[in-house]
Amino acid sequence: NQDEDKLTEYMDELEFLAFTAGATVQKRFTQKLTQPDSKTFIGSGKAQEIKEYVKENEIGTIIFDDELSPSQLKNLEKEIEVKILDRTNLILDIFAQRAQTSYARTQVELAQYQYLLPRLTRMWTHLERQKGGIGMRGPGETEIETDRRIIRDRITLLKDKLKTIDKQMATQRNNRGKVVRAALVGYTNVGKSTLMNALSKSDVFAENKLFATLDTTVRKVVIGNLPFLLTDTVGFIRKLPTQLVESFKSTLDEVREADLLIHVVDISHESFEDQVESVNNTLMEINAHQKPMIMVFNKIDDFSYDKKDEDDLTPSTKRNISLEEWTKTWMGKSKYPTVFISALTKENFPEMKKMIYDEVMKIHISRFPYND
Ligand code: GDP
């Protein structure tokens, strides 16, 4: 049953996001509707069912996988009497927790204000803000209650600030001169930071949560005497809030201006094909899909045949697959150079490095045709 598999997978991802934000999920509710209810998003029977569950189990927050309209949020909060977050809010919160540079913090603040503006009159902003918690990090209470004009002014200010930093970053990129630039792209949590660390011997923050990477990191990497710059970009994710797509423009600039993309895929994830597609769509949107690319299928140490049937997972279903065997699969038949590795155990690293070297060298030679 494909629809149900998809649903479970979406809910798994949402639960992972919630976990990343610091919440524990108690129960999942789903409902099939031909279209969302314009007033409350879900039907009134379902709302009642949730309300009862919330009361009985002292649930603090309900999280929706979609972005709800401001009025839907308000109506539902009134009806269920609990704090409600949607996917956008949750993702913004995670970004707020993880923003490290002043640039990232400015971007998140801007996105939060843009999200907040049409939602100023919500009930729990008064009740819950003192207590803090998910969805509460960011603009403080007094600012929220101030009138919209002030928030609009703030948005203008933040946009100006970003423009200034954007210019500085563009200059920095120009100053990097003609060194070949490669960017790690891929869905969130596929192992980009781990690979970055392994290749540059640096210490980029890597953990099993979504969006461990917020700010781009640029490192100099040398393979076989050939130096190039490697950028670790923010993880792509399905249904990224539009406010973020806009405000993380400069993050994507690193991708747009890269000479070579290294597309990392988590082969142990049961829906890695969807993730690849999602990344490719984003690349298309920012017009970076025609760049030279290397496909790196990662986590081969964690690959097992029957992932979906967890009970059936015996060590025998995990077996060592040689690079030659991998290459014969459909994945190995892509139009891009493709390699299968483990960023953790460094399996097949020499092959990957050779592949990166070859691609970087091609670009290098096209730039300095008379050098040797
Ligand atoms: P990013 O979000 O793409 O930067 O992913 P990270 O580098 O933060 O890695 C996400 C998680 O996957 C971390 O828990 C890593 O330890 C884990 N991971 C990365 N590479 C591998 C690998 O080759 N094999 C296994 N089993 N886990 C990996």
Side-chain angles (χ1 to χ4, degrees):
N1 194 324
Q2 258 192 330
D3 278 0
E4 246 153 56
D5 282 355
K6 270 265 159 325
L7 192 67
T8 309
E9 184 200 312
Y10 288 170
M11 290 300 248
D12 284 349
E13 186 178 273
L14 189 68
E15 186 165 333
F16 199 16
L17 280 170
F19 162 75
T20 302
T24 325
V25 175
Q26 297 273 343
K27 191 172 166 67
R28 299 175 176 191
F29 291 91
T30 53
Q31 184 174 36
K32 261 192 192 147
L33 290 174
T34 36
Q35 61 184 71
D37 188 287
S38 60
K39 288 210 180 81
T40 52
F41 193 74
I42 49 175
S44 60
K46 185 58 73 178
Q48 208 52 41
E49 186 190 332
I50 296 176
K51 183 175 179 173
E52 273 159 31
Y53 183 84
V54 164
K55 277 248 156 66
E56 269 165 34
N57 298 278
E58 296 178 2
I59 301 297
T61 310
I62 299 186
I63 304 172
F64 280 83
D65 192 38
D66 295 276
E67 185 169 324
L68 274 58
S69 77
S71 71
Q72 283 169 336
L73 270 173
K74 213 166 112 184
N75 294 335
L76 263 180
E77 265 175 3
K78 241 188 228 152
E79 194 159 329
I80 306 184
E81 293 169 351
V82 69
K83 180 167 91 183
I84 292 175
L85 299 180
D86 60 15
R87 185 183 171 88
T88 303
N89 211 315
L90 187 63
I91 292 180
L92 284 175
D93 191 81
I94 295 171
F95 274 98
Q97 282 182 57
R98 281 156 185 263
Q100 278 172 22
T101 62
S102 98
Y103 186 63
R105 278 197 294 270
T106 311
Q107 287 178 317
V108 175
E109 200 183 339
L110 174 62
Q112 281 179 319
Y113 275 123
Q114 285 169 335
Y115 176 81
L116 195 66
L117 195 56
R119 293 171 175 80
L120 273 180
T121 53
R122 289 179 57 203
M123 196 172 80
W124 56 259
T125 52
H126 313 282
L127 299 176
E128 296 279 329
R129 187 156 288 275
Q130 299 96 318
K131 287 196 241 156
I134 299 173
M136 291 294 135
R137 279 165 280 252
E141 177 175 34
T142 46
E143 282 156 58
I144 288 165
E145 290 176 349
T146 327
D147 74 280
R148 279 158 211 254
R149 192 180 51 79
I150 292 180
I151 291 195
R152 284 206 192 92
D153 287 351
R154 184 87 190 132
I155 287 178
T156 313
L157 202 88
L158 290 169
K159 279 186 177 162
D160 284 348
K161 194 171 162 191
L162 283 178
K163 249 184 232 154
T164 313
I165 313 180
D166 266 339
K167 266 187 214 143
Q168 288 166 358
M169 289 171 92
T171 315
Q172 275 171 17
R173 278 197 296 271
N174 283 337
N175 289 345
R176 287 184 211 148
K178 287 200 164 183
V179 181
V180 174
R181 276 184 265 159
L184 289 164
V185 297
Y187 209 75
T188 178
N189 214 48
V190 296
K192 296 183 295 298
S193 311
T194 313
L195 187 56
M196 175 88 159
N197 286 338
L199 281 172
S200 65
K201 299 188 185 76
S202 63
D203 230 345
V204 178
F205 185 48
E207 62 173 335
N208 195 18
K209 285 187 169 177
L210 295 181
F211 304 120
T213 321
L214 235 195
D215 303 293
T216 53
T217 344
V218 185
R219 293 269 184 283
K220 188 176 154 194
V221 177
V222 183
I223 299 179
N225 281 334
L226 181 63
F228 62 95
L229 294 171
L230 184 63
T231 314
D232 181 5
T233 62
V234 64
F236 297 3
I237 192 164
R238 201 172 49 85
K239 291 204 279 185
L240 187 71
T242 46
Q243 297 91 338
L244 283 180
V245 174
E246 174 63 27
S247 64
F248 277 78
K249 180 188 153 293
S250 162
T251 306
L252 294 175
D253 275 350
E254 291 284 350
V255 176
R256 214 177 283 127
E257 295 182 13
D259 305 301
L260 170 68
L261 302 181
I262 301 176
H263 187 162
V264 186
V265 182
D266 174 0
I267 206 170
S268 76
H269 196 284
E270 61 178 343
S271 52
F272 73 90
E273 291 103 324
D274 289 349
Q275 298 189 340
V276 169
E277 198 184 312
S278 164
V279 171
N280 282 338
N281 287 340
T282 309
L283 290 177
M284 209 116 83
E285 274 164 36
I286 62 168
N287 210 9
H289 57 294
Q290 274 158 345
K291 290 182 185 295
M293 185 151 82
I294 297 175
M295 296 297 293
V296 176
F297 288 94
N298 187 31
K299 305 199 191 179
I300 56 169
D301 60 289
D302 198 24
F303 179 85
S304 50
Y305 274 104
D306 217 350
K307 263 272 164 184
K308 284 202 177 110
D309 197 355
E310 291 290 344
D311 296 337
D312 245 15
L313 261 189
T314 56
S316 65
T317 55
K318 285 193 187 182
R319 63 176 184 92
N320 284 334
I321 302 169
S322 71
L323 189 55
E324 201 190 336
E325 278 178 275
W326 279 117
T327 311
K328 282 183 188 150
T329 64
W330 64 268
M331 292 167 274
K333 299 202 168 69
S334 114
K335 63 174 170 173
Y336 302 108
T338 302
V339 71
F340 300 83
I341 63 147
S342 163
L344 272 195
T345 67
K346 306 204 170 174
E347 217 172 318
N348 299 334
F349 256 45
E351 288 82 358
M352 177 187 65
K353 283 185 170 173
K354 171 85 172 55
M355 205 169 268
I356 296 176
Y357 178 89
D358 286 347
E359 292 305 305
V360 171
M361 192 49 121
K362 266 189 220 161
I363 299 164
H364 188 76
I365 288 173
S366 71
R367 271 188 201 167
F368 302 100
Y370 304 112
N371 279 7
D372 52 5

